[in-house]
Every structure is written in structure tokens, then in C-alpha cells.
């Protein structure tokens, strides 16, 4: 057997870096978390070339004392926990003591810091895991971490870096989430000298506007409630305000941004009956639960958590969101018409958690039995504010729901209409001569071939013919285009921008003239003539559902769906009386191909054999 080696800290850190430092955005995440843990309320992030050349994070937090600088760079060195017991109730974002040594092992890193007590600051530089001496540094209170040349010594990893623009996009999305999760911290984020995002630390509403634009507030409900010891606050999109992918879904748990399946499915199931396929709810939600019923030490990147009981979390969130969307009376206690900013993560936050920690004891018995049935907690009852306030709320909520009712009905209708477009490849050519018997019920054309009867659905047949024709034009690249009178301009987030830039040529290939139109805008200036009735918003939403690979649907499938709709609209309807020459024309187009199905999957023709008819009349048994 080979000898077992104890790995040196240099190798160990490099291995840990594999988990913690995946790309520049993961470095930015760790550095901002450190700033937040240090109590900073002002954080400036500056990057060059998507963070590959340089990342600088400056904060006005507690700072690191000169005597501690070397320690901060050592593995498993943290000021945030000290005993095993602390692991059961982690309230800081960091606790593993891994980030700084991991980052240092794959970059050139400088920390300059000054605490309030120090006259003059200090700095340390480290390259490939080798530290410099501590130097004096004339910096302000707080910490500045500079990371140069990420992965300069790990070429294998550097190969996996995307383009600077794509890496910048990742960092932009990440910082928008930090802005939303820390509304009382002001962030400034610059890339290659240009300000990309800025927040002012004056509350959640303002943070939402900085990240998503001014209109978003009107498209959301602001909710603020407690259910089963779980405090839920934040914005959820109104029924009609859906998004084409999940990049608009943000959840914070005790101040930490997480992506958790239990929470995501609870919300998505609550929205289920309101949203069409490939439409996803918008939300920015902050959850607060007792620290000791959630395990945050699940993954080195700390993006997922484990709950003591998933069912309670699921049930509580599902019930709150459904009540709001269904507009039930109880929604009045959840939705807040006057939107308030989220409480800052100050003492209030922890006082609240302490309070629900106590209340939670009363629920523990139910948790153990996995029961969904809870008596209302004391806090919930408190929410039931005085009668007058409730009446006022009732009025404005009634308005909100009336406004949305029409939308919901429209969506429901469209949802029913939206079916799977399964197109059969089966082709049954009839070799025999077909005799026309005539049109029946203004819907069916009846033919016989001497042995069998054929009923042709005139709408399905025509629809299929048009569909094939349009597809042929598209696949042979013979697509006449028509310019739009007013170009269609739409807004995208960084992930969507990256996706569209990668797909511009594919989209142009199907005859849609699309180009980038500024920092976060795209413009469509012409579309194929055959798609002149295209609802561009829906089309783009469908397309963007590909972002992050949450749903894989090819451009071609989307296009086929559109083409099928157009064919359906333009085809002869059932109920249209056809002249003999119209019937002739249709049959010629059909070229005796009766095995076809319409684009919605319904049959074009039905064959009734002589034998079946004989059986009806008991000629044979
Ligand atoms: P962790 O955050 O898990 O403790 P890190 O490696 O990220 O581990 O940081 C190590 C230690 O360095 C922290 O525990 C903290 O004491 C100190 N530190 C890092 N960044 C900052 C900062 N921006 N401000 C103050 N202290 C910091
Ligand atoms: Mg940390």
C-alpha cells in the first residue's frame, strides 16, 4: 500500500479553492459576505475584465487588527465561531474560515485594513500562498481586499473561465441579489471604470427599484407575515407578472441568499394555476426562522440549507402565497398595501428570531409528528391589527384583486388553449382513386375509395397543409422579412443578455433581425412575413426560458409552435360551407395523404371500413 501523506496547507488550500473559488463571481461573493459579517453598511466592488484581471472589495466594517492579518489567511481561521456548539446556530454568513486562504492560493491577494482603535492601518500581500511581511497602510476604517490575476497559477481552472463579459454578467447578477438581500447597506459596483449598479441603503423598495426598475413595485404584492414561526417578508409578483426564467427568483434565509428546492416548489406550486407553461413567478422573499432548525453547513458555497422539517417550511410558504394569490380574506393579514422596507439586520432582526425561538418551542411537538395542523402562534394573532386598519386594507386589496381578475381569466383561457404540438411523422398515402361524396355538416368532406369511407376534417386538413408550407419556407431559409414599423425593444438581465448574445445568429437564421441596443436592452427590427401576427413579448419570453438551462426548448420548437398557431388562424374553419372547386383545391393540396395529423395532434382524416359499416347493419357479426 502507498504511504499516506498529510497534505501541506498549500495543497489543502488549493483543493478547498476548487470548491469555494469556482470563478470570479464566487470570490466576489465571499468578499462581500466578509464585509457584511464585519458590519459594513457601505461596500464598493470594482472589477476589471469580468474580475479575471482584478477584483477590489472595499468596506467600512470593523476591520482586521494588524495582529490578526496573518491569521485571517490561514486555513480554518475564523473569528465567527469558536466551539462545536456554535455550529448549531450560525448567524454569520461565513464560518468555515476557508475563503481567504482559498482565494489566496489561486491569485495574488492584498488585504489592507484598519480598525477603529488603530491609528494607522496595515496590509499584507500574498502570492500563491506565500505571505509578505505586514506593512503600514494609510487606509480608512474598514477593509479593502484586492484580488489580482485569478487562477494565474492554475491554468486548468483558468481554461474554464468564460468570456470577461459572461463573468461580469455573473457578478452583476450576484451583486443585484446582495442589494436585494441587504437593503440597508449601500452598494456601488463598477466594471472597467463604469458604474453598473448602485444602491443607497435606504430600504427594500428602493433596492428593488435599483435592481428591477421603478415599475416593479406596482407589479408586486408586498407581504409581511408570520406562519408557524416562520417570518416571511418581501415582494411577490402579481398573477400576471411572470418571468420567462427563474433568474428573477430570490430567497434570503436569515439574511443569507439560498437556492432551496423545498421553498422554490412551495412558491411555484402556489402560482401553478395562474401561470402558463414556461412562465415563472417573480419574487424577492426574506425568511426568518430560528437558527437552530436550519443547517447552513450543507455545501462549501453555502447556497443550500437543510431544514429540520421540510414539510413545515413547504406548508407554511405554500399557504401564505396561495392565500395572497387566491385573494382569500386571510390575504388581508398578509399583504401590506403600504409597502414597508425590510427591517434592517440590526438588533431587531435578532430580537425577532429570539422571540420566535421561544414561540417555536410550542410547535416542537407538532414538528415531531410531521403534522401540518398548527394552532395560530401568538405572533400571528398580534398581526391581526385593529379593526379600522383592517377595513382600510380590505378596500385597497379588493381593488388589487379586481384589477387582476381579468388578467387571471385571460391567462386561464390561454392556458387551456396552449397544448402540446405533437406532429405525427406518419404518412399514409392512398393509392386508389378517391371519389368525392360531398361536404357534411359544413365541417367534413366525405370520400370513398370503393372499399372504405373517409371523413376529412376540413379545418385540420387545411391547417396541416399551411403548417407544412410555412415550415418548408423556414427550413429552406427562404424567409421573406418585414420590417417592424416600431422596433420592439426589451429589457434583459445579465444572464439573459449573455444568452441572447450567444444566440443572436440562431435567431437571425429564423428570420428575426435582432441586435443589442445598449447596456441592458435588445431590439428586434424585422420579423418573417409569415410571423406577422407574432406576439413578440410571448415569443421572447419563451426564448428566454432557455436561460440557465432550466428548460431546454430549442429555437426551432418555439418557432414550430408559432407557425402552428398561424396555420390554425389562417385555415378554413369548421362551419365554412365549401364550394366544389374549393373542396377540389383542398384535396389536391392534400395529395391523398390521409394519415396526417393537424399540428395540434388531431387526426386529419378518419377511415371507416366497409366491414365496420356492414357490422352496423348486422350484415356480418
Ligand atoms: P470566514 O468568513 O468563514 O470566517 P474567511 O476566510 O472568509 O473565513 O475570513 C477569515 C477571517 O478574516 C474572518 O473570520 C474575519 O475575522 C476576517 N475578515 C475577513 N474579511 C474581513 C473584512 N472584510 N472585515 C473584517 N474582517 C474580515
Ligand atoms: Mg468568509
Amino acid at each position: 500500500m502507498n504511504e499516506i501523506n498529510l497534505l501541506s496547507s498549500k495543497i489543502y488550500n488549493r483543493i478547498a479553492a476548487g470548491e469555494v473559488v469556482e470563478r470570479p463571481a464566487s470570490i466576489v461573493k465571499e468578499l462581500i459576505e466578509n464585509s457584511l459579517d464585519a458590519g459594513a453598511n457601505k461596500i464598493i466592488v470594482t472589477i476589471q475584465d469580468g474580475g479575471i484581471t482584478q477584483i477590489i472589495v472595499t468596506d467600512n466594517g470593523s476591520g482586521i487588527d494588524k495582529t490578526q492579518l496573518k491569521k485571517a489567511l490561514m486555513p480554518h481561521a475564523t473569528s465567527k465561531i469558536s466551539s462545536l456548539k456554535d455550529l448549531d446556530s450560525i448567524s454569520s454568513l461565513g464560518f468555515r474560515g476557508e475563503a481567504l486562504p482559498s482565494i489566496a492560493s489561486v491569485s495574488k491577494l492584498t488585504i489592507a485594513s484598519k480598525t477603529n482603535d488603530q491609528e494607522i492601518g496595515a496590509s499584507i500581500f500574498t502570492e500563491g500562498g506565500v505571505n509578505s511581511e505586514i506593512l503600514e497602510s494609510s487606509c480608512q476604517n474598514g477593509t479593502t481586499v484586492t484580488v489580482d490575476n485569478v487562477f494565474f497559477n492554475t491554468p486548468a481552472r483558468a481554461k474554464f473561465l468564460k468570456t470577461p463579459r459572461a463573468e461580469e454578467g455573473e457578478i452583476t447578477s450576484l451583486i443585484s441579489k446582495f442589494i436585494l438581500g441587504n437593503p440597508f447597506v449601500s452598494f456601488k459596483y463598477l466594471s472597467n471604470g463604469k458604474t453598473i449598479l448602485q444602491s443607497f441603503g435606504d430600504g427594500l423598495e428602493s433596492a428593488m427599484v435599483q435592481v428591477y426598475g421603478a415599475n416593479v413595485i406596482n407589479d408586486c404584492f408586498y407581504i409581511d407575515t408570520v406562519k408557524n414561526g416562520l417570518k416571511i417578508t418581501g415582494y411577490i409578483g402579481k398573477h400576471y407578472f411572470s418571468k420567462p426564467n427563474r433568474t428573477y427568483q430570490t430567497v434570503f434565509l436569515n439574511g443569507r441568499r439560498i437556492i432551496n428546492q423545498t421553498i422554490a416548489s412551495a412558491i411555484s406550486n402556489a402560482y401553478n394555476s395562474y401561470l402558463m407553461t414556461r412562465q415563472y413567478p417573480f419574487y424577492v422573499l426574506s425568511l426568518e426562522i430560528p437558527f437552530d432548525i436550519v443547517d447552513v453547513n450543507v455545501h462549501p458555497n453555502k447556497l443550500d440549507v437543510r431544514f429540520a422539517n421540510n414539510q413545515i417550511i413547504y406548508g407554511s410558504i405554500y399557504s401564505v402565497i396561495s392565500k395572497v394569490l387566491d385573494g382569500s380574506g386571510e390575504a388581508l393579514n398578509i399583504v401590506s398595501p403600504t409597502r414597508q422596507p425590510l427591517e434592517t439586520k440590526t438588533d431587531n432582526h435578532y430580537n425577532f428570531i429570539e422571540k420566535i425561538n421561544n414561540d417555536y418551542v410550542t410547535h416542537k411537538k407538532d414538528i415531531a409528528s410531521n403534522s401540518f395542523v398548527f394552532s395560530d402562534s401568538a405572533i400571528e394573532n398580534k398581526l391581526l391589527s385593529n379593526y379600522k386598519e383592517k377595513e382600510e386594507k380590505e378596500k385597497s386589496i379588493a381593488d388589487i384583486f379586481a384589477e387582476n381578475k381579468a388578467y387571471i381569466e385571460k391567462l386561464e383561457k390561454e392556458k387551456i388553449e396552449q397544448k402540446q404540438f405533437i406532429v405525427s411523422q406518419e404518412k399514409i398515402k392512398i393509392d386508389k382513386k378517391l371519389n368525392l361524396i360531398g361536404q357534411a355538416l359544413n365541417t367534413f368532406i366525405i370520400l370513398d375509395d370503393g372499399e372504405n369511407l373517409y371523413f376529412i376534417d376540413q379545418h385540420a386538413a387545411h391547417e396541416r397543409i399551411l403548417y407544412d408550407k410555412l415550415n418548408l419556407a423556414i427550413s429552406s431559409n427562404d424567409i421573406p422579412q418585414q420590417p417592424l414599423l416600431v422596433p420592439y425593444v426589451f429589457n434583459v438581465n445579465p444572464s439573459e443578455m449573455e444568452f441572447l448574445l450567444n444566440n443572436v445568429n440562431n435567431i437571425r437564421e429564423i428570420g428575426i433581425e435582432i441586435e443589442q441596443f445598449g447596456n441592458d436592452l435588445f431590439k428586434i427590427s424585422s420579423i418573417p412575413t409569415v410571423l406577422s401576427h407574432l406576439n413578440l413579448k410571448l415569443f421572447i419570453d419563451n426564448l428566454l426560458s432557455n436561460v440557465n438551462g432550466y428548460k431546454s426548448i430549442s429555437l426551432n420548437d418555439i418557432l414550430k409552435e408559432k407557425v402552428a398557431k398561424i396555420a390554425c388562424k389562417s385555415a378554413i374553419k369548421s362551419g365554412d360551407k365549401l364550394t366544389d372547386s374549393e373542396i377540389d383545391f383542398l384535396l389536391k393540396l392534400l395529395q391523398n395523404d390521409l394519415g396526417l395529423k393537424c399540428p395540434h395532434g388531431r387526426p386529419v382524416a378518419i377511415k371507416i371500413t366497409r366491414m365496420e359499416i356492414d357490422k352496423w347493419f348486422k350484415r356480418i357479426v
Side-chain angles (χ1 to χ4, degrees):
M1 198 173 90
N2 290 338
E3 201 178 326
I4 297 176
N5 299 312
L6 281 180
L7 297 179
S8 72
S9 64
K10 202 170 164 186
I11 303 178
Y12 168 82
N13 288 339
R14 189 75 72 78
I15 294 171
E19 290 170 329
V20 180
V21 189
E22 230 178 306
R23 54 198 303 187
S26 21
I27 296 182
V28 175
K29 172 180 178 282
E30 293 295 336
L31 297 182
I32 295 182
E33 287 190 349
N34 279 348
S35 299
L36 292 169
D37 280 345
N41 64 5
K42 209 170 160 196
I43 298 173
I44 304 169
V45 182
T46 312
I47 61 162
Q48 298 293 333
D49 308 320
I52 301 166
T53 314
Q54 189 176 62
I55 298 167
I56 307 177
V57 176
T58 300
D59 67 55
N60 66 347
S62 61
I64 308 171
D65 191 82
K66 186 176 164 181
T67 57
Q68 306 290 304
L69 271 180
K70 273 204 171 130
K71 262 205 231 160
L73 289 169
M74 286 159 74
H76 312 299
T78 179
S79 56
K80 299 166 193 174
I81 56 170
S82 57
S83 68
L84 204 56
K85 204 172 105 269
D86 294 342
L87 264 186
D88 294 333
S89 56
I90 293 165
S91 62
S92 55
L93 296 168
F95 57 88
R96 298 171 64 108
E98 270 178 342
L100 289 182
S102 302
I103 299 167
S105 75
V106 294
S107 70
K108 301 174 184 179
L109 180 135
T110 311
I111 308 175
S113 194
K114 179 174 148 356
T115 61
N116 215 355
D117 309 333
Q118 284 172 261
E119 285 270 307
I120 188 145
S123 72
I124 188 167
F125 170 73
T126 166
E127 178 173 334
V130 183
N131 295 344
S132 73
E133 284 311 304
I134 308 276
L135 301 169
E136 282 199 340
S137 165
S138 56
C139 52
Q140 309 239 322
N141 282 352
T143 306
T144 296
V145 179
T146 307
V147 180
D148 286 303
N149 303 345
V150 181
F151 301 142
F152 79 101
N153 54 354
T154 48
R157 194 139 268 239
K159 266 194 221 134
F160 287 99
L161 283 170
K162 295 190 184 165
T163 60
R165 200 189 30 236
E167 297 295 345
E168 179 193 307
E170 274 299 307
I171 296 173
T172 310
S173 320
L174 175 83
I175 295 181
S176 15
K177 305 287 181 185
F178 272 112
I179 290 178
L180 295 169
N182 300 275
F184 289 95
V185 175
S186 76
F187 285 89
K188 190 167 180 174
Y189 159 55
L190 299 102
S191 169
N192 295 342
K194 217 170 83 192
T195 304
I196 308 287
L197 283 170
Q198 182 160 19
S199 72
F200 303 98
D202 53 353
L204 183 59
E205 183 165 328
S206 163
M208 288 278 288
V209 170
Q210 293 311 316
V211 174
Y212 293 120
N215 289 337
V216 72
I217 301 297
N218 296 328
D219 290 324
C220 289
F221 296 116
Y222 178 76
I223 63 176
D224 182 352
T225 191
V226 177
K227 181 84 185 166
N228 302 329
L230 172 70
K231 182 170 166 133
I232 310 175
T233 41
Y235 290 91
I236 62 168
K238 292 182 183 172
H239 313 79
Y240 60 88
F241 190 55
S242 59
K243 290 290 174 186
N245 51 60
R246 291 196 177 96
T247 52
Y248 295 84
Q249 307 186 339
T250 315
V251 174
F252 302 97
L253 184 95
N254 293 348
R256 179 192 306 281
R257 186 188 163 221
I258 56 160
I259 296 178
N260 176 269
Q261 202 44 49
T262 303
I263 298 173
S265 3
I267 305 175
S268 116
N269 288 343
Y271 271 94
N272 202 16
S273 55
Y274 297 107
L275 298 184
M276 292 192 288
T277 46
R278 292 201 294 280
Q279 298 287 305
Y280 301 89
F282 170 101
Y283 51 86
V284 175
L285 281 180
S286 181
L287 312 176
E288 286 172 32
I289 62 172
F291 290 126
D292 63 348
I293 61 155
V294 54
D295 184 2
V296 294
N297 192 14
V298 174
H299 190 274
N301 70 16
K302 295 166 271 165
L303 208 57
D304 198 3
V305 294
R306 216 179 350 234
F307 295 108
N309 188 310
N310 275 331
Q311 282 179 315
I312 288 168
I313 300 293
Y314 181 97
S316 310
I317 296 174
Y318 179 83
S319 114
V320 165
I321 309 275
S322 318
K323 275 177 196 156
V324 174
L325 295 176
D326 297 347
S328 67
E330 278 175 88
L332 306 179
N333 300 324
I334 301 171
V335 174
S336 169
T338 41
R339 295 170 294 266
Q340 294 131 11
L342 270 187
E343 275 174 44
T344 180
K345 215 177 130 189
T346 55
D347 292 348
N348 273 346
H349 171 93
Y350 297 111
N351 287 345
F352 171 77
I353 294 194
E354 213 169 279
K355 167 101 185 70
I356 53 180
N357 254 325
N358 296 335
D359 285 352
Y360 206 77
V361 177
T362 54
H363 293 310
K364 286 235 159 146
K365 220 176 81 223
D366 298 317
I367 294 170
S369 63
N370 265 357
S371 161
F372 269 110
V373 190
F374 287 93
S375 57
D376 281 352
S377 72
I379 304 168
E380 255 183 291
N381 289 333
K382 254 196 200 165
L383 278 179
L384 307 171
S385 45
N386 68 46
Y387 183 72
K388 206 167 155 224
E389 205 180 317
K390 200 175 160 192
E391 216 175 30
E392 269 168 26
K393 272 189 183 179
E394 207 152 346
K395 195 163 155 274
S396 69
I397 301 287
D399 288 348
I400 296 169
F401 287 114
E403 176 196 314
N404 288 323
K405 201 164 170 266
Y407 272 109
I408 300 165
E409 280 168 2
K410 192 171 143 245
L411 287 185
E412 290 275 278
K413 205 171 138 235
E414 282 180 14
K415 204 171 159 190
I416 293 164
E417 277 171 15
Q418 212 191 36
K419 298 214 181 89
Q420 278 284 316
F421 296 102
I422 315 149
V423 179
S424 157
Q425 295 304 312
E426 181 194 4
K427 296 215 169 206
I428 305 170
K429 285 267 187 194
I430 310 294
D431 296 329
K432 293 175 194 148
K433 189 177 164 350
L434 292 166
N435 307 308
L436 173 66
I437 296 175
Q439 187 193 23
L441 308 174
N442 287 347
T443 302
F444 306 105
I445 298 165
I446 307 176
L447 306 164
D448 94 77
D449 66 1
E451 278 174 30
N452 310 292
L453 274 187
Y454 296 92
F455 276 65
I456 296 178
D457 180 319
Q458 64 192 37
H459 171 72
H462 195 204
E463 189 182 8
R464 178 59 202 248
I465 292 161
L466 294 178
Y467 176 78
D468 285 347
K469 210 170 109 188
L470 292 175
N471 269 335
L472 187 71
I474 288 167
S475 60
S476 59
N477 254 340
D478 177 20
I479 315 170
Q481 284 180 321
Q482 89 185 28
L484 294 173
L485 237 50
V486 182
Y488 178 72
V489 175
F490 58 99
N491 221 282
V492 290
N493 68 25
S495 330
E496 293 165 347
M497 169 68 78
E498 177 63 15
F499 172 81
L500 284 178
L501 287 173
N502 286 335
N503 279 288
V504 156
N505 286 338
N506 298 337
I507 302 171
R508 288 195 182 137
E509 245 168 47
I510 59 172
I512 294 177
E513 205 40 61
I514 185 165
E515 62 184 319
Q516 193 182 347
F517 189 57
N519 231 351
D520 53 359
L521 295 174
F522 260 86
K523 179 173 91 175
I524 292 181
S525 47
S526 50
I527 57 170
T529 318
V530 290
L531 298 184
S532 58
H533 298 298
L534 189 70
N535 176 336
L536 275 171
K537 164 144 187 7
L538 271 185
F539 177 76
I540 292 299
D541 279 1
N542 267 344
L543 197 66
L544 293 179
S545 63
N546 285 282
V547 169
N548 291 358
Y550 284 117
K551 273 268 154 124
S552 63
I553 169 166
S554 72
L555 273 178
N556 227 353
D557 286 344
I558 297 176
L559 200 69
K560 274 206 173 126
E561 194 175 308
K562 298 296 147 211
V563 167
K565 274 212 170 119
I566 295 160
C568 179
K569 266 199 183 145
S570 340
I572 302 168
K573 304 278 169 299
S574 75
D576 287 353
K577 172 97 193 117
L578 303 184
T579 63
D580 280 356
S581 60
E582 279 169 335
I583 293 176
D584 256 8
F585 184 66
L586 187 63
L587 292 177
K588 261 203 198 97
L589 289 176
L590 205 55
Q591 295 176 331
N592 280 14
D593 197 349
L594 303 188
L596 294 174
K597 298 228 162 74
C598 84
H600 297 91
R602 289 196 296 110
V604 162
I606 296 282
K607 179 166 105 176
I608 302 168
T609 59
R610 166 83 198 228
M611 199 196 280
E612 278 170 276
I613 300 173
D614 281 345
K615 274 187 191 164
W616 295 347
F617 294 98
K618 310 273 184 243
R619 289 169 153 272
I620 53 172
V621 280

